[in-house]
Amino acid sequence: MFHSSPTRRLAAFPALAAFSALATLSAAVAVAQPAPAKSAEATAPTVLTYKSALEGYQPFADEKPIPWKEANETVYRRGGWQAYAKEASGSSAAEADSPKGAAAAPAAPPGHSMPMPAKKEKP
C-alpha cells in the first residue's frame, strides 16, 4: 500500500499549502488578542421581547358575490368594457364616465407615427 505524508500532498498543491498556512496563522493571531474590557452596561442583562408573526392575522373572508345579471348591468351603465379600457390606459375621468352610446370618435391607438417609406418607381 502507498501512504503519502500530508506535507508531500501539500507540496503537490501550492495553493492548498498557502491556504493551510494562512488558516494556521489567523488562528494563532485570534488566540493572541486580549479580552475586551467589560463595562457596567455590558454586564446588564438584555431584555428580549417576543412578537408573533401571526399577531395581526385575519383569516380569509369570502365575500358574497352579486348576481351576474346585476354585475353585467352595472358594467353596461358605466360604458362597457371600453370605459374600463380607457380607465386603465390613463384617459381622463370624464371620458371614462361617459355612458355607452354617446357619440365619441374612436381614439387613435397609442404609440408614435412613422412615415411610410418612399415607393421606388420601376424604369
Side-chain angles (χ1 to χ4, degrees), residues 38-117:
K38 292 185 178 182
S39 65
E41 295 171 359
T43 58
T46 305
V47 178
L48 300 177
T49 58
Y50 173 77
K51 182 178 178 187
S52 173
L54 301 175
E55 187 173 300
Y57 175 75
Q58 295 178 352
F60 178 74
D62 196 13
E63 297 177 9
K64 184 176 181 183
I66 61 172
W68 65 270
K69 286 184 180 182
E70 184 181 333
N72 286 352
E73 186 61 33
T74 302
V75 170
Y76 181 77
R77 278 184 277 135
R78 291 185 180 176
W81 65 267
Q82 291 99 350
Y84 292 108
K86 285 179 185 176
E87 183 180 318
S89 70
S91 297
S92 68
E95 292 175 10
D97 289 341
S98 65
K100 189 172 185 173
H112 59 278
S113 63
M114 293 185 62
M116 294 297 291

Side-chain angles (χ1 to χ4, degrees), residues 25-37:
L25 180 64
S26 63
V29 170
V31 171
Q33 291 182 356

